[in-house]
mmCIF file with all atom_site columns, all heavy atoms in Angstrom:
data_model
loop_
_atom_site.group_PDB
_atom_site.id
_atom_site.type_symbol
_atom_site.label_atom_id
_atom_site.label_alt_id
_atom_site.label_comp_id
_atom_site.label_asym_id
_atom_site.label_entity_id
_atom_site.label_seq_id
_atom_site.pdbx_PDB_ins_code
_atom_site.Cartn_x
_atom_site.Cartn_y
_atom_site.Cartn_z
_atom_site.occupancy
_atom_site.B_iso_or_equiv
_atom_site.pdbx_formal_charge
_atom_site.auth_seq_id
_atom_site.auth_comp_id
_atom_site.auth_asym_id
_atom_site.auth_atom_id
_atom_site.pdbx_PDB_model_num
ATOM 1   N N   . PRO O 1 31  ? 95.902  115.084 123.821 1.00 98.00 ? 31  PRO O N   1
ATOM 2   C CA  . PRO O 1 31  ? 94.803  114.991 124.792 1.00 98.00 ? 31  PRO O CA  1
ATOM 3   C C   . PRO O 1 31  ? 94.598  116.305 125.545 1.00 98.00 ? 31  PRO O C   1
ATOM 4   O O   . PRO O 1 31  ? 95.557  117.045 125.786 1.00 98.00 ? 31  PRO O O   1
ATOM 5   C CB  . PRO O 1 31  ? 95.295  113.895 125.753 1.00 98.00 ? 31  PRO O CB  1
ATOM 6   C CG  . PRO O 1 31  ? 96.295  113.116 124.987 1.00 98.00 ? 31  PRO O CG  1
ATOM 7   C CD  . PRO O 1 31  ? 96.950  114.090 124.057 1.00 98.00 ? 31  PRO O CD  1
ATOM 8   N N   . ALA O 1 32  ? 93.357  116.575 125.886 1.00 98.00 ? 32  ALA O N   1
ATOM 9   C CA  . ALA O 1 32  ? 93.016  117.784 126.631 1.00 98.00 ? 32  ALA O CA  1
ATOM 10  C C   . ALA O 1 32  ? 93.440  117.658 128.078 1.00 98.00 ? 32  ALA O C   1
ATOM 11  O O   . ALA O 1 32  ? 93.461  116.561 128.636 1.00 98.00 ? 32  ALA O O   1
ATOM 12  C CB  . ALA O 1 32  ? 91.515  118.017 126.550 1.00 98.00 ? 32  ALA O CB  1
ATOM 13  N N   . LEU O 1 347 ? 101.241 105.099 123.028 1.00 98.00 ? 347 LEU O N   1
ATOM 14  C CA  . LEU O 1 347 ? 100.561 105.100 124.321 1.00 98.00 ? 347 LEU O CA  1
ATOM 15  C C   . LEU O 1 347 ? 99.060  105.303 124.141 1.00 98.00 ? 347 LEU O C   1
ATOM 16  O O   . LEU O 1 347 ? 98.234  104.633 124.775 1.00 98.00 ? 347 LEU O O   1
ATOM 17  C CB  . LEU O 1 347 ? 101.147 106.236 125.157 1.00 98.00 ? 347 LEU O CB  1
ATOM 18  C CG  . LEU O 1 347 ? 100.874 106.249 126.636 1.00 98.00 ? 347 LEU O CG  1
ATOM 19  C CD1 . LEU O 1 347 ? 102.102 105.698 127.366 1.00 98.00 ? 347 LEU O CD1 1
ATOM 20  C CD2 . LEU O 1 347 ? 100.616 107.663 127.125 1.00 98.00 ? 347 LEU O CD2 1
ATOM 21  N N   . LEU O 1 348 ? 98.706  106.220 123.269 1.00 98.00 ? 348 LEU O N   1
ATOM 22  C CA  . LEU O 1 348 ? 97.283  106.488 123.010 1.00 98.00 ? 348 LEU O CA  1
ATOM 23  C C   . LEU O 1 348 ? 96.667  105.305 122.274 1.00 98.00 ? 348 LEU O C   1
ATOM 24  O O   . LEU O 1 348 ? 95.556  104.867 122.576 1.00 98.00 ? 348 LEU O O   1
ATOM 25  C CB  . LEU O 1 348 ? 97.129  107.777 122.197 1.00 98.00 ? 348 LEU O CB  1
ATOM 26  C CG  . LEU O 1 348 ? 97.587  109.062 122.910 1.00 98.00 ? 348 LEU O CG  1
ATOM 27  C CD1 . LEU O 1 348 ? 97.497  110.254 121.962 1.00 98.00 ? 348 LEU O CD1 1
ATOM 28  C CD2 . LEU O 1 348 ? 96.764  109.333 124.166 1.00 98.00 ? 348 LEU O CD2 1
ATOM 29  N N   . ASN O 1 350 ? 97.464  102.220 122.395 1.00 98.00 ? 350 ASN O N   1
ATOM 30  C CA  . ASN O 1 350 ? 97.316  101.062 123.274 1.00 98.00 ? 350 ASN O CA  1
ATOM 31  C C   . ASN O 1 350 ? 96.073  101.138 124.158 1.00 98.00 ? 350 ASN O C   1
ATOM 32  O O   . ASN O 1 350 ? 95.540  100.122 124.598 1.00 98.00 ? 350 ASN O O   1
ATOM 33  C CB  . ASN O 1 350 ? 98.570  100.923 124.151 1.00 98.00 ? 350 ASN O CB  1
ATOM 34  C CG  . ASN O 1 350 ? 98.536  99.685  125.011 1.00 98.00 ? 350 ASN O CG  1
ATOM 35  O OD1 . ASN O 1 350 ? 98.316  98.589  124.496 1.00 98.00 ? 350 ASN O OD1 1
ATOM 36  N ND2 . ASN O 1 350 ? 98.702  99.847  126.307 1.00 98.00 ? 350 ASN O ND2 1
ATOM 37  N N   . MET O 1 351 ? 95.596  102.366 124.388 1.00 98.00 ? 351 MET O N   1
ATOM 38  C CA  . MET O 1 351 ? 94.387  102.532 125.210 1.00 98.00 ? 351 MET O CA  1
ATOM 39  C C   . MET O 1 351 ? 93.162  101.883 124.562 1.00 98.00 ? 351 MET O C   1
ATOM 40  O O   . MET O 1 351 ? 92.210  101.516 125.242 1.00 98.00 ? 351 MET O O   1
ATOM 41  C CB  . MET O 1 351 ? 94.098  104.021 125.415 1.00 98.00 ? 351 MET O CB  1
ATOM 42  C CG  . MET O 1 351 ? 95.146  104.735 126.241 1.00 98.00 ? 351 MET O CG  1
ATOM 43  S SD  . MET O 1 351 ? 94.882  106.532 126.256 1.00 98.00 ? 351 MET O SD  1
ATOM 44  C CE  . MET O 1 351 ? 93.385  106.639 127.257 1.00 98.00 ? 351 MET O CE  1
ATOM 45  N N   . THR O 1 352 ? 93.208  101.792 123.241 1.00 98.00 ? 352 THR O N   1
ATOM 46  C CA  . THR O 1 352 ? 92.032  101.342 122.493 1.00 98.00 ? 352 THR O CA  1
ATOM 47  C C   . THR O 1 352 ? 92.053  99.852  122.188 1.00 98.00 ? 352 THR O C   1
ATOM 48  O O   . THR O 1 352 ? 91.217  99.365  121.427 1.00 98.00 ? 352 THR O O   1
ATOM 49  C CB  . THR O 1 352 ? 91.949  102.102 121.143 1.00 98.00 ? 352 THR O CB  1
ATOM 50  O OG1 . THR O 1 352 ? 93.029  101.678 120.298 1.00 98.00 ? 352 THR O OG1 1
ATOM 51  C CG2 . THR O 1 352 ? 92.028  103.600 121.333 1.00 98.00 ? 352 THR O CG2 1
ATOM 52  N N   . CYS O 1 353 ? 93.016  99.125  122.781 1.00 97.00 ? 353 CYS O N   1
ATOM 53  C CA  . CYS O 1 353 ? 93.287  97.762  122.314 1.00 97.00 ? 353 CYS O CA  1
ATOM 54  C C   . CYS O 1 353 ? 92.552  96.638  123.024 1.00 97.00 ? 353 CYS O C   1
ATOM 55  O O   . CYS O 1 353 ? 92.727  95.482  122.670 1.00 97.00 ? 353 CYS O O   1
ATOM 56  C CB  . CYS O 1 353 ? 94.788  97.500  122.370 1.00 97.00 ? 353 CYS O CB  1
ATOM 57  S SG  . CYS O 1 353 ? 95.597  98.230  120.958 1.00 97.00 ? 353 CYS O SG  1
ATOM 58  N N   . MET O 1 355 ? 88.873  95.336  125.372 1.00 97.00 ? 355 MET O N   1
ATOM 59  C CA  . MET O 1 355 ? 87.560  95.590  125.944 1.00 97.00 ? 355 MET O CA  1
ATOM 60  C C   . MET O 1 355 ? 87.708  96.013  127.400 1.00 97.00 ? 355 MET O C   1
ATOM 61  O O   . MET O 1 355 ? 86.926  96.816  127.902 1.00 97.00 ? 355 MET O O   1
ATOM 62  C CB  . MET O 1 355 ? 86.684  94.332  125.847 1.00 97.00 ? 355 MET O CB  1
ATOM 63  C CG  . MET O 1 355 ? 86.278  93.949  124.431 1.00 97.00 ? 355 MET O CG  1
ATOM 64  S SD  . MET O 1 355 ? 85.440  95.280  123.505 1.00 97.00 ? 355 MET O SD  1
ATOM 65  C CE  . MET O 1 355 ? 83.939  95.490  124.475 1.00 97.00 ? 355 MET O CE  1
ATOM 66  N N   . ILE O 1 358 ? 88.229  99.639  127.357 1.00 97.00 ? 358 ILE O N   1
ATOM 67  C CA  . ILE O 1 358 ? 86.989  100.301 126.968 1.00 97.00 ? 358 ILE O CA  1
ATOM 68  C C   . ILE O 1 358 ? 86.059  100.415 128.171 1.00 97.00 ? 358 ILE O C   1
ATOM 69  O O   . ILE O 1 358 ? 85.467  101.463 128.423 1.00 97.00 ? 358 ILE O O   1
ATOM 70  C CB  . ILE O 1 358 ? 86.314  99.522  125.819 1.00 97.00 ? 358 ILE O CB  1
ATOM 71  C CG1 . ILE O 1 358 ? 87.129  99.687  124.529 1.00 97.00 ? 358 ILE O CG1 1
ATOM 72  C CG2 . ILE O 1 358 ? 84.875  99.983  125.608 1.00 97.00 ? 358 ILE O CG2 1
ATOM 73  C CD1 . ILE O 1 358 ? 86.590  98.937  123.338 1.00 97.00 ? 358 ILE O CD1 1
ATOM 74  N N   . TYR O 1 362 ? 84.206  103.745 129.677 1.00 97.00 ? 362 TYR O N   1
ATOM 75  C CA  . TYR O 1 362 ? 82.793  103.967 129.370 1.00 97.00 ? 362 TYR O CA  1
ATOM 76  C C   . TYR O 1 362 ? 81.822  103.446 130.420 1.00 97.00 ? 362 TYR O C   1
ATOM 77  O O   . TYR O 1 362 ? 80.656  103.224 130.104 1.00 97.00 ? 362 TYR O O   1
ATOM 78  C CB  . TYR O 1 362 ? 82.453  103.416 127.989 1.00 97.00 ? 362 TYR O CB  1
ATOM 79  C CG  . TYR O 1 362 ? 83.031  104.268 126.886 1.00 97.00 ? 362 TYR O CG  1
ATOM 80  C CD1 . TYR O 1 362 ? 84.105  103.841 126.122 1.00 97.00 ? 362 TYR O CD1 1
ATOM 81  C CD2 . TYR O 1 362 ? 82.508  105.536 126.620 1.00 97.00 ? 362 TYR O CD2 1
ATOM 82  C CE1 . TYR O 1 362 ? 84.640  104.631 125.127 1.00 97.00 ? 362 TYR O CE1 1
ATOM 83  C CE2 . TYR O 1 362 ? 83.041  106.334 125.621 1.00 97.00 ? 362 TYR O CE2 1
ATOM 84  C CZ  . TYR O 1 362 ? 84.110  105.875 124.881 1.00 97.00 ? 362 TYR O CZ  1
ATOM 85  O OH  . TYR O 1 362 ? 84.630  106.670 123.904 1.00 97.00 ? 362 TYR O OH  1
ATOM 86  N N   . ALA E 1 32  ? 90.743  93.590  121.809 1.00 98.00 ? 32  ALA E N   1
ATOM 87  C CA  . ALA E 1 32  ? 90.799  92.195  122.251 1.00 98.00 ? 32  ALA E CA  1
ATOM 88  C C   . ALA E 1 32  ? 89.780  91.936  123.350 1.00 98.00 ? 32  ALA E C   1
ATOM 89  O O   . ALA E 1 32  ? 89.441  92.829  124.128 1.00 98.00 ? 32  ALA E O   1
ATOM 90  C CB  . ALA E 1 32  ? 92.200  91.894  122.774 1.00 98.00 ? 32  ALA E CB  1
ATOM 91  N N   . LEU E 1 347 ? 84.158  105.906 119.131 1.00 98.00 ? 347 LEU E N   1
ATOM 92  C CA  . LEU E 1 347 ? 84.198  105.495 120.535 1.00 98.00 ? 347 LEU E CA  1
ATOM 93  C C   . LEU E 1 347 ? 85.639  105.248 120.979 1.00 98.00 ? 347 LEU E C   1
ATOM 94  O O   . LEU E 1 347 ? 86.060  105.655 122.071 1.00 98.00 ? 347 LEU E O   1
ATOM 95  C CB  . LEU E 1 347 ? 83.390  104.204 120.672 1.00 98.00 ? 347 LEU E CB  1
ATOM 96  C CG  . LEU E 1 347 ? 82.987  103.753 122.049 1.00 98.00 ? 347 LEU E CG  1
ATOM 97  C CD1 . LEU E 1 347 ? 81.533  104.169 122.306 1.00 98.00 ? 347 LEU E CD1 1
ATOM 98  C CD2 . LEU E 1 347 ? 83.098  102.251 122.187 1.00 98.00 ? 347 LEU E CD2 1
ATOM 99  N N   . LEU E 1 348 ? 86.398  104.580 120.136 1.00 98.00 ? 348 LEU E N   1
ATOM 100 C CA  . LEU E 1 348 ? 87.798  104.310 120.454 1.00 98.00 ? 348 LEU E CA  1
ATOM 101 C C   . LEU E 1 348 ? 88.603  105.604 120.426 1.00 98.00 ? 348 LEU E C   1
ATOM 102 O O   . LEU E 1 348 ? 89.439  105.855 121.303 1.00 98.00 ? 348 LEU E O   1
ATOM 103 C CB  . LEU E 1 348 ? 88.375  103.287 119.466 1.00 98.00 ? 348 LEU E CB  1
ATOM 104 C CG  . LEU E 1 348 ? 87.744  101.889 119.517 1.00 98.00 ? 348 LEU E CG  1
ATOM 105 C CD1 . LEU E 1 348 ? 88.314  101.008 118.409 1.00 98.00 ? 348 LEU E CD1 1
ATOM 106 C CD2 . LEU E 1 348 ? 87.954  101.222 120.868 1.00 98.00 ? 348 LEU E CD2 1
ATOM 107 N N   . ASN E 1 350 ? 87.624  108.573 121.041 1.00 98.00 ? 350 ASN E N   1
ATOM 108 C CA  . ASN E 1 350 ? 87.298  109.436 122.181 1.00 98.00 ? 350 ASN E CA  1
ATOM 109 C C   . ASN E 1 350 ? 88.038  109.020 123.455 1.00 98.00 ? 350 ASN E C   1
ATOM 110 O O   . ASN E 1 350 ? 88.253  109.836 124.347 1.00 98.00 ? 350 ASN E O   1
ATOM 111 C CB  . ASN E 1 350 ? 85.786  109.401 122.420 1.00 98.00 ? 350 ASN E CB  1
ATOM 112 C CG  . ASN E 1 350 ? 85.373  110.339 123.519 1.00 98.00 ? 350 ASN E CG  1
ATOM 113 O OD1 . ASN E 1 350 ? 85.720  111.524 123.490 1.00 98.00 ? 350 ASN E OD1 1
ATOM 114 N ND2 . ASN E 1 350 ? 84.652  109.836 124.506 1.00 98.00 ? 350 ASN E ND2 1
ATOM 115 N N   . MET E 1 351 ? 88.449  107.755 123.526 1.00 98.00 ? 351 MET E N   1
ATOM 116 C CA  . MET E 1 351 ? 89.187  107.283 124.706 1.00 98.00 ? 351 MET E CA  1
ATOM 117 C C   . MET E 1 351 ? 90.517  108.000 124.862 1.00 98.00 ? 351 MET E C   1
ATOM 118 O O   . MET E 1 351 ? 91.058  108.097 125.957 1.00 98.00 ? 351 MET E O   1
ATOM 119 C CB  . MET E 1 351 ? 89.450  105.780 124.591 1.00 98.00 ? 351 MET E CB  1
ATOM 120 C CG  . MET E 1 351 ? 88.197  104.935 124.637 1.00 98.00 ? 351 MET E CG  1
ATOM 121 S SD  . MET E 1 351 ? 88.550  103.195 124.273 1.00 98.00 ? 351 MET E SD  1
ATOM 122 C CE  . MET E 1 351 ? 89.462  102.712 125.747 1.00 98.00 ? 351 MET E CE  1
ATOM 123 N N   . THR E 1 352 ? 91.058  108.476 123.735 1.00 98.00 ? 352 THR E N   1
ATOM 124 C CA  . THR E 1 352 ? 92.413  109.036 123.737 1.00 98.00 ? 352 THR E CA  1
ATOM 125 C C   . THR E 1 352 ? 92.431  110.557 123.885 1.00 98.00 ? 352 THR E C   1
ATOM 126 O O   . THR E 1 352 ? 93.483  111.165 123.734 1.00 98.00 ? 352 THR E O   1
ATOM 127 C CB  . THR E 1 352 ? 93.136  108.678 122.418 1.00 98.00 ? 352 THR E CB  1
ATOM 128 O OG1 . THR E 1 352 ? 92.489  109.387 121.336 1.00 98.00 ? 352 THR E OG1 1
ATOM 129 C CG2 . THR E 1 352 ? 93.071  107.189 122.126 1.00 98.00 ? 352 THR E CG2 1
ATOM 130 N N   . CYS E 1 353 ? 91.262  111.141 124.176 1.00 97.00 ? 353 CYS E N   1
ATOM 131 C CA  . CYS E 1 353 ? 91.132  112.594 124.047 1.00 97.00 ? 353 CYS E CA  1
ATOM 132 C C   . CYS E 1 353 ? 91.399  113.416 125.293 1.00 97.00 ? 353 CYS E C   1
ATOM 133 O O   . CYS E 1 353 ? 91.313  114.637 125.234 1.00 97.00 ? 353 CYS E O   1
ATOM 134 C CB  . CYS E 1 353 ? 89.747  112.932 123.511 1.00 97.00 ? 353 CYS E CB  1
ATOM 135 S SG  . CYS E 1 353 ? 89.698  112.688 121.740 1.00 97.00 ? 353 CYS E SG  1
ATOM 136 N N   . SER E 1 354 ? 91.655  112.790 126.410 1.00 98.00 ? 354 SER E N   1
ATOM 137 C CA  . SER E 1 354 ? 91.891  113.615 127.602 1.00 98.00 ? 354 SER E CA  1
ATOM 138 C C   . SER E 1 354 ? 92.897  112.954 128.536 1.00 98.00 ? 354 SER E C   1
ATOM 139 O O   . SER E 1 354 ? 93.022  111.730 128.588 1.00 98.00 ? 354 SER E O   1
ATOM 140 C CB  . SER E 1 354 ? 90.577  113.846 128.350 1.00 98.00 ? 354 SER E CB  1
ATOM 141 O OG  . SER E 1 354 ? 90.103  112.628 128.886 1.00 98.00 ? 354 SER E OG  1
ATOM 142 N N   . MET E 1 355 ? 93.589  113.776 129.265 1.00 97.00 ? 355 MET E N   1
ATOM 143 C CA  . MET E 1 355 ? 94.540  113.276 130.260 1.00 97.00 ? 355 MET E CA  1
ATOM 144 C C   . MET E 1 355 ? 93.795  112.476 131.314 1.00 97.00 ? 355 MET E C   1
ATOM 145 O O   . MET E 1 355 ? 94.351  111.511 131.871 1.00 97.00 ? 355 MET E O   1
ATOM 146 C CB  . MET E 1 355 ? 95.281  114.458 130.912 1.00 97.00 ? 355 MET E CB  1
ATOM 147 C CG  . MET E 1 355 ? 96.240  115.196 129.992 1.00 97.00 ? 355 MET E CG  1
ATOM 148 S SD  . MET E 1 355 ? 97.495  114.143 129.180 1.00 97.00 ? 355 MET E SD  1
ATOM 149 C CE  . MET E 1 355 ? 98.418  113.547 130.597 1.00 97.00 ? 355 MET E CE  1
ATOM 150 N N   . TYR E 1 362 ? 96.458  104.206 132.628 1.00 97.00 ? 362 TYR E N   1
ATOM 151 C CA  . TYR E 1 362 ? 97.873  103.991 132.925 1.00 97.00 ? 362 TYR E CA  1
ATOM 152 C C   . TYR E 1 362 ? 98.253  104.147 134.385 1.00 97.00 ? 362 TYR E C   1
ATOM 153 O O   . TYR E 1 362 ? 99.404  104.391 134.687 1.00 97.00 ? 362 TYR E O   1
ATOM 154 C CB  . TYR E 1 362 ? 98.748  104.886 132.041 1.00 97.00 ? 362 TYR E CB  1
ATOM 155 C CG  . TYR E 1 362 ? 98.763  104.418 130.597 1.00 97.00 ? 362 TYR E CG  1
ATOM 156 C CD1 . TYR E 1 362 ? 98.116  105.122 129.603 1.00 97.00 ? 362 TYR E CD1 1
ATOM 157 C CD2 . TYR E 1 362 ? 99.419  103.234 130.249 1.00 97.00 ? 362 TYR E CD2 1
ATOM 158 C CE1 . TYR E 1 362 ? 98.124  104.685 128.282 1.00 97.00 ? 362 TYR E CE1 1
ATOM 159 C CE2 . TYR E 1 362 ? 99.433  102.793 128.944 1.00 97.00 ? 362 TYR E CE2 1
ATOM 160 C CZ  . TYR E 1 362 ? 98.788  103.517 127.963 1.00 97.00 ? 362 TYR E CZ  1
ATOM 161 O OH  . TYR E 1 362 ? 98.799  103.083 126.666 1.00 97.00 ? 362 TYR E OH  1
#
Side-chain angles (χ1 to χ4, degrees):
Chain O
L347 195 100
L348 295 175
N350 184 52
M351 294 172 70
T352 69
C353 280
M355 292 305 296
I358 289 178
Y362 287 108
Chain E
L347 195 99
L348 296 175
N350 184 52
M351 294 172 70
T352 68
C353 280
S354 67
M355 291 305 297
Y362 288 108

